[in-house]
Amino acid sequence: MAVGWFYLSFYALCLLGVLCVILTIYWMQLWHGGFAWDGTIHMFNYHPVLMVVGLVVLYSAASLVYRLPQSWAGPKLPWKMGHAALHLLAFILTVLGLVAVFQFHRRSKIPNLYSLHSWLGIVTVFLFACQWFLGFVVFLLPWASEWLRSLLKPVHVFFGVIILSLSIASVISGINEKLFFSLNNATQPYSHLPREAIFANSLGMLVVVFGLLVLYILLVSSWKRPEPGTLTEGQPLLRDGE
């Protein structure tokens, strides 16, 4: 029953993640003219899409690698590599999302990092970079002792949840900020809830539900990878002679 409930939650999460990405693309395409890597507003449109894909969906997928029952038995090495690779891909897409918005701001002579949304986003990306570097150096390379890995593992897990929560907050505040800017006119004010406002607010609620479901899966103790012992748990990616 527990495994069946896990897969039900997991497949629901996959559906929600795909839906969040598709709806973000649709929002940028239908109401904001689509995409182009040219420094214009169409380049900015990559920003919300890449942030949802990288900072929310792929980041969550990487965080849930060790919840898959297939990862509970056998060597941990392939799952470590998958965990690190998915996080790295998520980080690369996130950085591209930042490049899109900074290039647009530079060309349009708009100041950077003046809103709460931008502060949240930069803090989130900075913590993400530190988290990935710490995980790679301590948990994948062979130099760290078993004692150090055991000491830092709860910190690594804690900040993983914090970064996911900040990612959701950044995306939600970004959706709201985009609506304030795009609907700041006399014909379709945000307060009248035009179609775009209803659509984007609904997208924001889906992102929140997605994040809550990820946190639920992460927090269910029976779905965590069983501890096979200190030696196996602390196995680095690279060993002498391998």
Side-chain angles (χ1 to χ4, degrees), residues 125-186:
V125 175
F126 174 75
L127 290 177
F128 189 179
C130 294
Q131 173 85 338
W132 192 91
F133 180 76
L134 174 71
F136 180 78
V137 171
V138 174
F139 297 106
L140 295 182
L141 296 182
W143 71 274
S145 65
E146 305 296 340
W147 173 84
L148 181 60
R149 292 193 189 99
S150 298
L151 178 68
L152 291 181
K153 183 180 177 182
V155 177
H156 188 67
V157 172
F158 172 77
F159 274 99
V161 174
I162 292 297
I163 292 167
L164 175 61
S165 301
L166 288 174
S167 298
I168 301 298
S170 298
V171 168
I172 297 306
S173 61
I175 291 172
N176 199 234
E177 184 175 293
K178 179 63 176 175
L179 286 174
F180 276 121
F181 279 122
S182 62
L183 297 178
N184 183 24
N185 56 71

Side-chain angles (χ1 to χ4, degrees), residues 48-159:
V49 174
L50 290 171
M51 290 309 189
V52 169
V53 174
L55 210 52
V56 176
V57 176
L58 281 179
Y59 183 91
S60 300
S63 301
L64 294 173
V65 162
Y66 295 126
R67 295 301 182 270
L68 293 171
Q70 293 87 342
S71 72
W72 295 357
K76 193 176 181 181
L77 174 59
W79 301 100
K80 280 188 175 184
M81 294 178 66
H83 178 72
L86 280 173
H87 272 311
L88 181 58
L89 178 59
F91 183 74
I92 291 171
L93 293 179
T94 299
V95 170
L96 287 175
L98 290 180
V99 170
V101 69
F102 281 128
Q103 288 287 352
F104 167 67
H105 282 184
R106 182 183 62 81
R107 177 164 175 169
S108 303
K109 295 181 172 54
I110 298 173
N112 292 310
L113 303 177
Y114 62 87
S115 66
L116 177 59
H117 162 66
S118 61
W119 289 14
L120 272 175
I122 286 297
V123 168
T124 304
V125 175
F126 174 75
L127 290 177
F128 189 179
C130 294
Q131 173 85 338
W132 192 91
F133 180 76
L134 174 71
F136 180 78
V137 171
V138 174
F139 297 106
L140 295 182
L141 296 182
W143 71 274
S145 65
E146 305 296 340
W147 173 84
L148 181 60
R149 292 193 189 99
S150 298
L151 178 68
L152 291 181
K153 183 180 177 182
V155 177
H156 188 67
V157 172
F158 172 77
F159 274 99

Side-chain angles (χ1 to χ4, degrees), residues 7-17 210 213:
Y7 278 114
L8 181 62
S9 302
F10 178 76
Y11 291 134
L13 187 69
C14 292
L15 179 61
L16 276 174
F210 178 88
L213 186 53

Side-chain angles (χ1 to χ4, degrees), residues 13-46:
L13 187 69
C14 292
L15 179 61
L16 276 174
V18 171
L19 196 57
C20 286
V21 173
I22 291 174
L23 292 182
T24 307
I25 295 172
Y26 184 77
W27 179 27
M28 293 297 106
Q29 184 68 49
L30 182 64
W31 277 284
H32 297 283
F35 306 90
W37 199 265
D38 57 2
T40 66
I41 188 64
H42 299 123
M43 185 172 181
F44 171 87
N45 291 344
Y46 279 109

Side-chain angles (χ1 to χ4, degrees), residues 175-204:
I175 291 172
N176 199 234
E177 184 175 293
K178 179 63 176 175
L179 286 174
F180 276 121
F181 279 122
S182 62
L183 297 178
N184 183 24
N185 56 71
T187 57
Q188 285 191 318
Y190 190 6
S191 58
H192 289 180
L193 275 183
R195 286 181 57 206
E196 181 183 356
I198 295 172
F199 183 91
N201 284 346
S202 300
L203 169 62

